[in-house]
Amino acid sequence: MNHKDQIGKLNQMKQPSSRLWYVIQTKPANEHRVERNLINQGIETFLPLIEVHHYINGKIVTKTKPLFPNYLFGKLDIEFHYFQVKYTRGVNKVLGFADGPIPISEKVIEMIRERVGEGNVVRLEEEFKEGDQVQICSGVFKDLIGVFQKKISDQGRVRILLGMLGVEVPVQISKWQLKKVA
């Protein structure tokens, strides 16, 4: 048996047997880089994303960012993959305790995946009900509090009532400019 055959046999013996999900902490803004690096190493990853809406210069701008900034999930055989993952460029650590990394339940991943839509984007849209108190987060009415009245369009336009000068004034606004008041 030559040297290459021996290495091949050793690699077969070291093949991962049981893979579990772990949380991998990345360096800031390195989630996509780590995901690519781990996929290139044959490790299954899950990086749930979320759409965020910003009001910039009078326009709503939509961006996609990680649901859990600086974290992603990796399905690993910890005995086989630990050092491979730990020393991957952009990885900070695999989360756990002093004893070592702690796996998370498959149910957690399934629950998140149930909410994932197109492009790995998780849908967390807050639905407002008639009568909910809402606060405006951006624009000319920033920080004002009003009462949600109704949804106007599928593009995110809603009507709220703002109390101004003793009169309730109906205002049409983007739902992404609102948040519920506790």
Side-chain angles (χ1 to χ4, degrees):
M1 186 180 291
N2 67 27
H3 183 68
K4 286 184 181 177
D5 290 336
Q6 287 176 338
I7 291 173
K9 267 219 186 277
L10 283 173
N11 284 339
Q12 286 176 357
M13 290 172 24
K14 289 183 181 177
Q15 287 303 312
S17 56
S18 61
R19 293 182 182 219
L20 299 171
W21 287 101
Y22 290 86
V23 179
I24 300 168
Q25 184 182 38
T26 69
K27 293 179 180 165
N30 273 251
E31 302 89 353
H32 293 287
R33 173 191 232 177
V34 170
E35 180 184 37
R36 275 191 316 273
N37 290 339
L38 293 177
I39 288 171
N40 289 339
Q41 296 175 43
I43 295 172
E44 183 181 351
T45 62
F46 178 48
L47 178 60
L49 304 171
I50 188 169
E51 282 183 347
V52 292
H53 306 277
H54 299 285
Y55 191 76
I56 301 173
N57 297 330
K59 294 182 181 181
I60 299 280
V61 177
T62 303
K63 292 184 179 181
T64 305
K65 69 178 200 173
L67 179 62
F68 306 109
N70 303 332
Y71 296 95
L72 70 125
F73 302 101
K75 195 167 190 176
L76 344 154
D77 179 337
I78 204 66
E79 299 290 323
F80 183 75
H81 292 119
Y82 179 71
F83 289 105
Q84 182 180 354
V85 171
K86 183 178 178 186
Y87 294 112
T88 295
R89 184 176 215 143
V91 170
N92 202 8
K93 64 183 173 183
V94 179
L95 294 189
F97 294 112
D99 299 345
I102 303 294
I104 61 169
S105 171
E106 183 86 29
K107 289 180 183 178
V108 172
I109 302 297
E110 287 173 16
M111 283 175 38
I112 297 171
R113 281 196 165 145
E114 285 173 6
R115 292 179 160 240
V116 169
E118 187 177 318
N120 239 12
V121 175
V122 175
R123 302 287 173 215
L124 294 177
E125 292 184 12
E126 186 172 22
E127 287 299 320
F128 301 110
K129 293 183 224 73
E130 187 176 344
D132 284 349
Q133 265 203 327
V134 293
Q135 181 177 6
I136 301 174
C137 304
S138 61
V140 294
F141 297 118
K142 183 177 180 177
D143 297 328
L144 291 179
I145 294 180
V147 177
F148 182 82
Q149 193 174 27
K150 69 179 184 177
K151 178 179 171 182
I152 295 175
S153 74
D154 289 334
Q155 287 74 37
R157 299 297 291 176
V158 297
R159 181 181 299 152
I160 64 170
L161 297 174
L162 287 179
M164 301 175 107
L165 304 171
V167 178
E168 295 218 328
V169 179
V171 176
Q172 289 185 19
I173 194 166
S174 171
K175 71 178 178 181
W176 294 292
Q177 290 177 264
L178 300 177
K179 69 178 181 182
K180 274 188 185 177
V181 176

